[in-house]
């Protein structure tokens, strides 16, 4: 672990975005959230989409929605422009970023119809997590049938992966996102 930390530090200090992202994630994993977020912010500020996605996710866990939305607004354009040739992985990362941003905005009181439209767009482009979020939104609005139908065609291995994800988030998250994770887990395990 020490060697990995030192290696990530060297890559980060060399100015490599992937190194900054990894170094930030490692700081967070050992319990130094703000140190980790600073490295993620540095990489995302230069346009590295994976760092912006990680940054938004960590702020979801801690309920720092205003901070996440402000940082998204500041860096999103640079992350969209990152790299001249975008492959499928970068496209999915950008969908992940938009989906996470929509969660923060919903927590701050955004119009659910606007958030739903973002998630539907992300879902149509292949981002399965957005499908789960849209289903949770439908269930919370009282449309359990629509929520079930949205998840109905999801492969078992994907559903199992999301169950694991939200079980972990229930153990780690606080506030609004903790409640959201519980709603997602309840919906995903409803027919299991």
């Amino acid at each position: 672990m020490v060697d990995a930390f030192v290696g990530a530090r060297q890559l980060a200090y060399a100015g490599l975005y992937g190194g900054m992202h990894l170094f930030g994630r490692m700081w967070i994993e050992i319990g130094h959230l703000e140190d980790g977020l600073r490295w993620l912010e540095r990489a995302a500020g230069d346009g590295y989409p994976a760092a912006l996605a990680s940054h938004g996710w960590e702020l979801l866990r801690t309920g720092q929605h205003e901070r996440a939305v402000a940082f998204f607004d500041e860096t999103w354009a640079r992350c969209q422009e990152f790299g001249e040739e975008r492959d499928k992985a970068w496209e999915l990362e950008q969908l992940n970023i938009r989906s996470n941003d929509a969660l923060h905005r919903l927590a701050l009181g955004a119009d659910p119809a606007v958030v739903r439209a973002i998630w539907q767009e992300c879902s149509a482009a292949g981002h399965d997590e957005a499908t789960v979020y849209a289903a949770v939104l439908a269930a919370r609005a009282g449309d359990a049938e629509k929520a079930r139908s949205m998840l109905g065609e999801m492969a078992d291995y994907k559903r199992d992966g999301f169950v694991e994800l939200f079980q972990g988030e229930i153990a780690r998250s606080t506030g609004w996102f903790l409640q959201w994770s519980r709603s997602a887990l309840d919906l995903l395990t409803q027919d299991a």
Side-chain angles (χ1 to χ4, degrees):
M1 179 68 176
V2 172
D3 290 341
F5 195 83
V6 169
R9 180 178 179 263
Q10 289 172 338
L11 294 172
Y13 278 94
L16 299 172
Y17 302 127
M20 289 181 219
H21 179 233
L22 177 61
F23 196 46
R25 298 288 317 138
M26 292 179 95
W27 273 114
I28 291 166
E29 288 302 316
I30 63 170
H32 295 268
L33 179 65
E34 286 303 320
D35 291 325
L37 288 174
R38 276 193 291 280
W39 281 102
L40 295 177
E41 287 169 359
R42 184 171 170 194
D46 287 338
Y48 191 63
L52 183 56
S54 292
H55 184 268
W57 191 255
E58 291 303 327
L59 293 180
L60 271 170
R61 288 179 169 157
T62 58
Q64 298 181 58
H65 308 298
E66 293 92 354
R67 180 178 177 182
V69 167
F71 193 69
F72 172 88
D73 289 342
E74 178 185 319
T75 58
W76 175 238
R78 284 190 297 270
C79 285
Q80 285 181 297
E81 296 166 1
F82 187 83
E84 292 180 6
E85 293 183 19
R86 293 188 195 105
D87 60 12
K88 187 66 174 172
W90 286 123
E91 290 173 22
L92 288 174
E93 196 68 66
Q94 290 180 344
L95 294 171
N96 188 34
I97 293 166
R98 288 189 63 219
S99 182
N100 288 347
D101 180 63
L103 270 173
H104 285 292
R105 291 176 191 271
L106 184 64
L108 292 172
D111 181 355
V114 172
V115 171
R116 183 181 308 108
I118 291 168
W119 285 334
Q120 287 171 340
E121 182 183 325
C122 291
S123 178
H127 186 57
D128 293 323
E129 202 167 309
T131 304
V132 174
Y133 294 157
V136 171
L137 198 58
R140 283 185 161 194
D143 196 345
E145 184 59 37
K146 181 176 182 179
R148 278 193 298 277
S149 72
M150 293 172 83
L151 297 177
E153 300 203 14
M154 184 176 286
D156 287 343
Y157 77 93
K158 288 183 180 182
R159 185 182 294 257
D160 292 345
F162 287 123
V163 166
E164 277 186 41
L165 171 73
F166 289 111
Q167 284 173 334
E169 290 311 317
I170 288 169
R172 296 178 69 171
S173 299
T174 60
W176 184 90
F177 193 57
L178 172 61
Q179 297 307 316
W180 180 266
S181 297
R182 285 180 177 152
S183 295
L185 185 61
D186 288 347
L187 185 61
L188 288 162
T189 59
Q190 197 170 55
D191 298 325

